[in-house]
Structure formats: C-alpha cells, structure tokens
Amino acid sequence: MTENHLTTRVAIVTGGSRGIGREVAERLGADGLAVVVGYRSDDRSAAETVAAVEAKGGRAHAVRVDVADETSVAALFDEATERFGGVDVVVNAAGVMILGPLADFDLDAFDRMHRTNVRGTFVVDQLAARQVRPGGAIVNFSTSVKKLALETYAAYAASKGAVDALSLILAKELRGRDITVNAVAPGPTATELFLDGKSDEVVARMAKLNPLERLGTPGDIAEVVSLLAGAGRWINGQVLYVNGGMV
C-alpha cells in the first residue's frame, strides 16, 4: 500500500453516474476523497462523472455494479480497496422510483423497486459495515415523501421507510467502531428521476410546497452528504430531511 493510499480517504457512491449521485461524487471528489463511482449500466454517464471529478483535480474510478447482488457489491468494494487502499465513506444513492396507486400497482414493478431500494441498500450496508474504516460514514438515501404521504407514492415511500429502519439500527450495531450511519431524505429535487413524467403544472405545484418555493438541486443534497462524510461526526443514527422546510 502506498503512502498516498494511507493518507487519502476513499468514498464509494452507488448510483454515482447520474442525478444526485453524480453531484455527490463530484462534491466528495472536490472535498479531497478518492471516489469510486458505482453504476448500473450507463458507461458513458459513468465516464463523464469520472472525468468531471478529475477535471476538478480529484481522483475517481467507475465500476459497474448491481447493488442487490452480493457478489457484484463485493467486487465493487474489492476494486475500491485495490485501487485506492480501503473504504471510508459509502453513499447509497442508487434508487428506483415507480409511481402508481396502491390498489392498481403492478407487483412485478413493486418487486423491482424493492430489489434496488431495500435489498440493494441492505447488501451495500452489509459490506460497508464489514469494511468501512474507523472515522468513516455510511449515508443512505430516504425520501421526504414519507411525511407528505402523496398519492401514488405508497410503494416508493414504503421502500424508503425500510431504508430508514436499516439506517437507524445499523448506527447502533456499529457501536464502538467510530462509524456514523445516517439517511438523507430529500424533498422534490430537480433530477431526471423526479421530473420524468410530470407536467409543468405538477412540478410548479410541488416546488411551492416548501417556504423557499423552489425545487431542491442535486447540489443542495450533496452539501449535506459532504457534511455527513466529513465534519459532521456528531450526527449519527438520524434521518435528515433536506427539503427547504417542506415538512
């Protein structure tokens, strides 16, 4: 292991090729962490994320991963350790959002979403619990819609409620390890995932739900992840609602 490995903190960001995940990867890279960008299938977007981190003077590497598959996730962690020397921060930004009324919701769609949002978070957290070094952080992604209880969001909100439970319990299970575990719960944020299929009227209405009367940006969310990954060592076992005061 080189001296540079010994002095560099290393972050894994799943879902790091697009949206909030990409912004988090870029922010952590700017904070001085070496970043491993975990992505599902979009090679081009992953390469663009790596290039964006490197353009700001950071170091990054992209690894294709299926977050719900333990063998694939183990390979992701192995690659991070081999390339950069270890793992200090794990950010679970990979997620799927499928909307529809509960009574008519397709159960195959429910299972697909559950596989990524719940099983994926569980598998990544399991490896993180075993490998993150002292002084590290695990950051999962929840959602503010759990409190809003918006129609058509039941299946998605339920999957993120499970993420809350995993996060709070894991924080206690890592007692004595000097590793923090938190969940970030964004409100409506201007990403492709959120905007897809929504009319301008719906987007405008949701932007007005918070007192700041705007959608969040990926940068707003990345700021909070940066805090949790760095100086925010006294924040542990929490669900942080990052939504401009919406709820």
Side-chain angles (χ1 to χ4, degrees):
M1 189 179 298
T2 67
E3 182 179 353
N4 198 35
H5 280 164
L6 292 172
T7 58
T8 300
R9 299 182 76 230
V10 180
I12 291 174
V13 182
T14 69
S17 65
R18 301 169 66 186
I20 291 173
R22 174 171 176 167
E23 192 74 24
V24 168
E26 291 188 34
R27 175 56 192 263
L28 294 182
D31 289 344
L33 284 77
V35 181
V36 177
V37 178
Y39 71 102
R40 178 59 189 259
S41 60
D42 190 342
D43 296 335
R44 179 177 179 179
S45 293
E48 289 173 351
T49 303
V50 169
V53 173
E54 293 177 340
K56 298 175 183 177
R59 292 193 296 157
H61 177 63
V63 178
R64 187 181 287 224
V65 63
D66 176 356
V67 294
D69 181 83
E70 59 270 31
T71 301
S72 181
V73 173
L76 171 68
F77 276 74
D78 288 346
E79 183 75 9
T81 299
E82 180 178 347
R83 183 167 290 265
F84 295 125
V87 180
D88 301 281
V89 175
V90 174
V91 181
N92 281 301
V96 174
M97 182 168 66
I98 305 171
L99 305 182
L102 189 151
D104 303 320
F105 203 85
D106 181 78
L107 292 179
D108 287 338
F110 182 86
D111 289 342
R112 290 198 306 273
M113 187 160 54
H114 188 280
R115 186 177 187 277
T116 297
N117 295 358
V118 182
R119 180 184 169 92
T121 300
F122 191 98
V123 171
V124 173
D125 278 4
Q126 188 174 67
L127 268 291
R130 296 170 183 171
Q131 296 193 33
V132 168
R133 295 183 287 205
I138 300 169
V139 182
N140 295 322
F141 266 79
S142 181
T143 177
S144 287
V145 80
K146 300 189 312 298
K147 287 190 174 182
L148 281 175
L150 296 176
E151 296 174 358
T152 75
Y153 280 83
Y156 178 70
S159 74
K160 292 301 187 176
V163 171
D164 289 1
L166 292 174
S167 304
L168 302 188
I169 292 170
L170 182 57
K172 293 183 177 181
E173 291 182 347
L174 294 182
R175 175 182 295 275
R177 293 273 305 280
D178 191 24
I179 298 169
T180 62
V181 185
N182 294 286
V184 173
T189 304
T191 65
E192 182 180 344
L193 179 70
F194 170 75
L195 296 173
D196 184 41
K198 293 183 175 67
S199 68
D200 291 343
E201 180 184 359
V202 168
V203 171
R205 184 171 69 249
M206 296 190 78
K208 295 286 188 180
L209 291 176
N210 69 77
L212 300 181
E213 297 190 337
R214 67 171 177 84
L215 294 180
T217 69
D220 292 327
I221 314 306
E223 288 280 354
V224 177
V225 176
S226 173
L227 173 66
L228 296 174
R233 300 302 303 162
W234 200 233
I235 306 171
N236 190 28
Q238 304 297 317
V239 179
L240 282 75
Y241 287 86
V242 187
N243 55 36
M246 181 177 64
V247 291

